[in-house]
């Protein structure tokens, strides 16, 4: 990226800030009111910035707008390190992990007015903490599984005939003894449900309850929490919605989006900003992505991110994502220390 003169950087910064505020092309006349230089000097610098590919000159207006390269220079070199204004505060105390993820996503979306996406920790980081087998009716049981990350899974089982009254209590004791501490994806989990030392009745009963653990494993695959789709739709109203339709389809394919988040974070230990065509996913090439990882001191667990139009408040988005990731990291460290 070409280095600009101090004057060019100042002109570019004011033009980008003006465009982000107003949403309309910025001309030399508007800029001349902020500087001591004459309009001709400013027009000359605008022409230079356009020649460098940092500005575009829409044919419908005499003003100019930032290009993707202009936004990139602005984000990399012209944004202040510390952003002014109140910080983001998440209320995560005494919450389960699932609820904390939702609170983080909702708060991030509300603060930034952007689409917020948070990825949950992967399956191998969660273990079984407690199992309950409850007899609701003679033929109806409920199995409750609580994981180390605080998620709770419930499943009802209906049997063709009344269940022996001692089996639910026995199964709860056996399952807690054999499964607590095992990861949801551990192969040993399934082998411990088919212990050859058990009686045929006990084996048959455990086999009937096994689907709750299989489903828990499947549902515990990395989950995306999404909030603020309406913000993006409102921002882009009246524009080309084909890109947004593609994004909505991508949100349904979590593996694809998770891959994009990992790719964006792979090259940085701080906050990643991907602008327009810098994004690998076609669905994001007309948008901007701001993302940061969260997790344990020696292990990343997931990502906090926002997606919005190229014309977004980059400083505010970067600060909000950074703070959300830091607070979520503190929260998960506390959870994993209690395991």
């Amino acid at each position: 990226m070409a280095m600009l003169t101090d004057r060019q950087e100042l002109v570019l910064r004011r033009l980008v800030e003006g465009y982000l505020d107003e949403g309309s092309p910025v001309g030399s006349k508007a800029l001349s009111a902020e500087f001591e230089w004459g309009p001709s000097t400013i027009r000359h610098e605008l022409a230079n910035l356009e020649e460098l590919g940092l500005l575009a000159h829409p044919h419908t207006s005499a003003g100019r707008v930032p290009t993707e390269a202009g936004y990139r220079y602005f984000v990399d070199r012209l944004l202040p390190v510390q952003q002014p204004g109140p910080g983001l505060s998440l209320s995560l105390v005494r919450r389960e992990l699932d609820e904390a993820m939702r609170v983080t996503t909702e708060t991030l979306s509300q603060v930034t007015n952007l689409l917020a996406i948070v990825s949950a920790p992967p399956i191998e980081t969660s273990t079984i903490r407690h199992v309950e087998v409850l007899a609701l009716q003679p033929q109806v049981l409920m199995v409750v599984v609580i994981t180390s990350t605080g998620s709770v899974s419930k499943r009802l089982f209906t049997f063709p005939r009344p269940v022996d009254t001692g089996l639910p209590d026995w199964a709860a004791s056996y399952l807690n003894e054999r499964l607590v501490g095992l990861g949801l994806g551990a192969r040993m989990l399934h082998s411990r449900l088919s212990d050859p030392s058990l009686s045929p009745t006990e084996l048959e009963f455990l086999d009937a309850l096994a689907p709750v653990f299989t489903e828990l494993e499947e549902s515990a695959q990395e989950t995306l929490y999404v909030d603020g789709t309406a913000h993006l739709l409102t921002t882009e109203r009246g524009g080309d919605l084909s890109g947004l339709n593609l994004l909505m389809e991508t949100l349904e394919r979590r593996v694809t989006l998770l891959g994009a988040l990992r790719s964006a974070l792979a090259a940085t230990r701080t906050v990643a900003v991907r602008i327009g065509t810098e994004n690998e996913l076609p669905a994001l090439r007309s948008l901007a992505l701001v993302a940061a990882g969260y997790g344990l001191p020696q292990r990343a667990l997931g990502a906090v991110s926002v997606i919005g139009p190229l014309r977004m408040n980059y400083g505010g988005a970067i600060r909000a994502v950074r703070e959300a990731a830091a607070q979520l990291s503190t929260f998960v460290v506390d959870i994993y220390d209690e395991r």
Side-chain angles (χ1 to χ4, degrees):
M1 184 179 294
M3 290 296 295
L4 305 181
T5 65
D6 290 344
R7 184 164 68 184
Q8 287 173 336
E9 285 193 345
L10 188 55
V11 170
L12 178 63
R13 177 180 175 179
R14 293 297 168 89
L15 185 142
V16 173
E17 291 174 341
Y19 182 67
L20 294 179
D21 288 340
E22 303 297 332
S24 56
V26 180
S28 58
K29 183 176 181 181
L31 291 173
S32 63
E34 302 186 39
F35 301 125
E36 59 185 16
W37 317 305
S40 60
T41 299
I42 296 175
R43 282 196 297 271
H44 174 71
E45 295 294 12
L46 290 175
N48 288 334
L49 292 171
E50 184 175 355
E51 186 175 348
L52 291 170
L54 301 177
L55 299 179
H57 198 169
H59 63 83
T60 57
S61 168
R64 288 174 172 83
V65 299
T67 62
E68 290 182 12
Y71 282 125
R72 171 49 63 191
Y73 196 101
F74 176 78
V75 169
D76 288 349
R77 303 186 186 276
L78 305 181
L79 275 179
V81 176
Q82 297 296 328
Q83 296 297 318
L88 178 143
S89 178
L90 301 175
S91 177
L92 302 180
V93 179
R94 294 185 298 276
R95 295 183 183 273
E96 302 292 0
L97 181 65
D98 180 73
E99 187 180 5
M101 294 288 165
R102 296 185 190 280
V103 168
T104 302
T105 310
E106 292 171 2
T107 305
L108 193 56
S109 176
Q110 291 169 3
V111 168
T112 62
N113 285 322
L114 300 170
L115 175 68
I117 301 174
V118 177
S119 63
I123 180 176
E124 61 267 20
T125 65
S126 184
T127 61
I128 295 175
R129 175 181 288 174
H130 185 70
V131 181
E132 288 283 354
V133 183
L134 307 172
L136 305 182
Q137 297 177 18
Q139 295 174 238
V140 180
L141 301 180
M142 181 170 68
V143 179
V144 181
V145 182
I146 303 173
T147 70
S148 58
T149 53
S151 65
V152 179
S153 176
K154 301 176 182 179
R155 161 115 187 219
L156 290 176
F157 293 88
T158 301
F159 294 83
R161 55 185 178 275
V163 177
D164 185 301
T165 55
L167 276 176
D169 288 342
W170 168 83
S173 297
Y174 179 85
L175 292 171
N176 279 294
E177 178 184 341
R178 301 284 286 174
L179 302 184
V180 167
L182 288 182
L184 298 182
R187 295 179 181 178
M188 193 181 301
L189 186 152
H190 302 289
S191 66
R192 292 195 177 188
L193 296 177
S194 57
D195 187 340
S197 67
L198 299 177
S199 70
T201 300
E202 292 169 338
L203 284 172
E204 182 182 2
F205 187 63
L206 290 180
D207 186 60
L209 302 184
V212 70
F213 299 101
T214 304
E215 292 174 4
L216 184 63
E217 180 181 343
E218 293 173 351
S219 64
Q221 298 295 328
E222 290 174 288
T223 302
L224 288 180
Y225 295 83
V226 181
D227 195 87
T229 306
H231 292 315
L232 198 54
L233 292 173
T234 300
T235 302
E236 295 295 296
R237 184 175 296 167
D240 180 10
L241 297 182
S242 59
L244 291 180
N245 291 334
L246 187 57
L247 176 61
M248 297 304 109
E249 294 174 5
T250 302
L251 290 176
E252 298 297 323
R253 302 192 298 273
R254 64 182 183 185
V255 174
T256 302
L257 194 50
L258 282 166
L261 292 176
R262 290 195 188 99
S263 177
L265 292 172
T268 180
R269 293 178 178 269
T270 56
V271 179
V273 180
R274 294 290 178 268
I275 301 172
T277 54
E278 294 174 353
N279 290 292
E280 295 180 2
L281 282 182
L284 300 181
R285 287 178 184 162
S286 63
L287 302 167
L289 166 72
V290 180
Y294 73 88
L296 306 175
Q298 302 300 324
R299 183 176 187 181
L301 295 179
V304 175
S305 61
V306 293
I307 295 174
L310 298 183
R311 180 180 161 256
M312 72 156 63
N313 179 354
Y314 287 96
I318 291 170
R319 176 177 179 175
V321 166
R322 179 187 292 117
E323 293 184 355
Q327 293 177 46
L328 198 53
S329 291
T330 300
F331 175 79
V332 297
V333 165
D334 291 340
I335 285 182
Y336 282 76
D337 283 346
E338 295 172 359
R339 292 203 322 190

